[in-house]
Structure formats: C-alpha cells, structure tokens
Amino acid sequence: MNAQRILIFEDEPGILSTIEIALSADGFIPVSAMTADAGMTLLNQDISLVILDVGLPDRNGFEVLKEIRRTLNTPVILLTARNSEIDKVLGLELGADDFVVKPFSPRELVARIKAIVRRTYVPPKDVKSPLILDTEKKVIFFHNTALTLTPYEFKTLALFIKNPGRIFTREEIMDIVWTEPEDSFDRAVDTVIKNIRNRIKEIDKDSDLIETRRSQGYGLKDKK
C-alpha cells in the first residue's frame, strides 16, 4: 500500500503540529489547512482520509462535512472539544466515520485512522479480475454486472477483494464486518458466503471465486 495522504482541518497550531508529527511517524503524508475554505481546495488531491475539527474559525465543521458528503465518500474523523452526545449523533448522521474528543492521544488517533484506511483502501484494479469494487457507490461488479447484495454481503465481499488470497476466520469476518452484535454468530457468516456465491453464479454458473478452507475460514482466490 502506498503512503496515504491525510487532510487535516485544524486551526490550533499546537494540535495541528502534534497530528502532523504522529501521522508522519507512521508513514502517512499529512496535508494541512487551518480554515475550512483552504481545506476544501485541497480535498481533491488524492486524499485517503479527512480529520475535521468541528470548531473551525470560518465555518462550522458539520457544514463542511455536509459539503464533503454531497460529492465524496472519503472517510472523515471529526475532532471536537465537546464530549456531547448530540454532537456525536449529529456527526455520525451526517456521514462521519469516527468521532474523537479533545484532548486526545495522538497514538489512539493514528490507530483509528489506520483501522479506517485498512477498511476502505482499494488496491489498483486488476484488469484480469472479474470483480470490481466501487467504494464510492458501494457497488461490486462481476463481469461488469452489478451484484445485488445486502450490506453484510457487500462488506464481506469487499473485504475479500481488498485482500485476495487471504483466508479470514469467521471471527475475523464478524469483527470487521458485523455492526450489530446480536446479528453475530458463526452460521450468519456461512449464510452470507452462500448468498455471495449464489449471486455470482447467477451471472456465471461455473464461477468459483470464493475459497473455503475447512476449520480455517473463507477468502477470495488469488488468481496469480
């Protein structure tokens, strides 16, 4: 994976410098702006994730988030000085991926960034692969035909596409994909895999892309 560019909207020089140092130490490329308007002009520079302070001097961070979400699905972590449930709920409803309250640990912030980048990173498309993942539209194409998938089916197959050849245990799939604990049980994963296979076979009945390893788990066959 190439170095990821992280756009930081933060008007406090001390906090901005701390974030920049922490990101650089972990191999990220920080791109910084101290106002909303300045940051929006940088957003098209191949940005992998946005760190957005809610209390910017020229515009409210929630307004900036709404503007970003009108055109982009780039992951956003909100920074705020207020540990308010209302702020958290509003941010998440507007499309934020995470919420961090000041003061915060730089190491924890970087750990959250890494987790989101791992989940959303898409490697360069392999023209030989019949599967194409469109993270912006949340659609997966098989032989140029969009697959009809439930949210869990989409997230599971997207995870496999991003990690060809890797076998995930049921527990790993549940930890990464499942958002509702009450929906998490071993057979739920088996059902999702079965449904994904059925969707693929509706287009190509001879296709066998999903690998099952007994007592290990599931993954996407690596066509090398």
Side-chain angles (χ1 to χ4, degrees):
M1 184 187 299
N2 295 328
Q4 307 288 297
R5 297 169 64 85
I6 310 297
L7 175 58
I8 311 164
F9 290 75
E10 175 56 64
D11 65 310
E12 297 184 42
I15 295 177
L16 178 59
S17 176
T18 298
I19 296 174
E20 290 174 333
I21 292 170
L23 289 174
S24 297
D26 264 276
F28 293 102
I29 301 174
V31 181
S32 307
M34 300 185 74
T35 65
D37 290 342
M40 292 304 293
T41 64
L42 300 171
L43 192 53
N44 62 349
Q45 295 188 12
D46 194 23
I47 300 299
S48 298
L49 181 141
V50 174
I51 300 172
L52 175 59
D53 183 14
V54 171
L56 294 169
D58 54 338
R59 293 169 62 188
N60 181 287
F62 294 120
E63 295 176 1
V64 177
L65 176 58
K66 287 174 67 175
E67 183 175 343
I68 292 172
R69 283 293 172 260
R70 288 192 191 106
T71 57
L72 296 172
N73 199 36
T74 306
V76 175
I77 295 178
L78 289 179
L79 296 182
T80 179
R82 301 196 309 171
N83 190 10
S84 163
E85 182 179 355
I86 294 176
D87 281 358
K88 291 180 180 179
V89 171
L90 177 59
L92 294 171
E93 287 182 345
L94 290 175
D97 294 83
D98 205 347
F99 204 98
V100 175
V101 179
K102 299 176 183 178
F104 55 85
S105 160
R107 291 180 63 185
E108 180 183 350
L109 176 61
V110 171
R112 289 173 181 261
I113 291 169
K114 285 181 176 179
I116 294 174
V117 168
R118 275 198 307 269
R119 191 171 70 240
T120 58
Y121 173 73
V122 181
K125 293 176 181 177
D126 179 359
V127 295
K128 296 180 181 179
S129 173
L131 288 167
I132 297 176
L133 171 62
D134 187 331
T135 54
E136 291 285 333
K137 297 180 180 178
K138 297 190 182 305
V139 177
I140 295 175
F141 296 90
F142 178 60
H143 289 310
N144 298 318
T145 299
L147 295 172
T148 302
L149 302 169
T150 67
Y152 285 148
E153 291 164 8
F154 170 82
K155 291 177 182 178
T156 301
L157 185 53
L159 176 67
F160 292 171
I161 292 172
K162 295 174 187 176
N163 300 273
R166 176 179 170 183
I167 298 298
F168 292 87
T169 66
R170 291 187 180 92
E171 292 75 16
E172 287 175 326
I173 294 171
M174 286 188 288
D175 286 344
I176 297 170
V177 172
W178 260 250
T179 56
E180 300 296 334
E182 61 270 21
D183 294 337
S184 303
F185 53 94
D186 284 357
R187 293 307 169 194
V189 175
D190 296 342
T191 300
V192 163
I193 297 298
K194 177 182 176 182
N195 291 341
I196 292 172
R197 283 190 169 121
N198 288 340
R199 299 290 178 269
I200 290 174
K201 286 183 180 296
E202 287 173 0
I203 299 170
D204 180 359
K205 63 182 179 62
D206 296 322
S207 179
D208 186 24
L209 296 175
I210 306 299
E211 181 174 1
T212 301
R213 290 190 189 173
R214 188 177 297 275
S215 301
Q216 294 185 42
Y218 301 101
L220 186 68
K221 292 181 179 178
D222 193 359
K223 302 287 187 180
K224 288 185 177 180

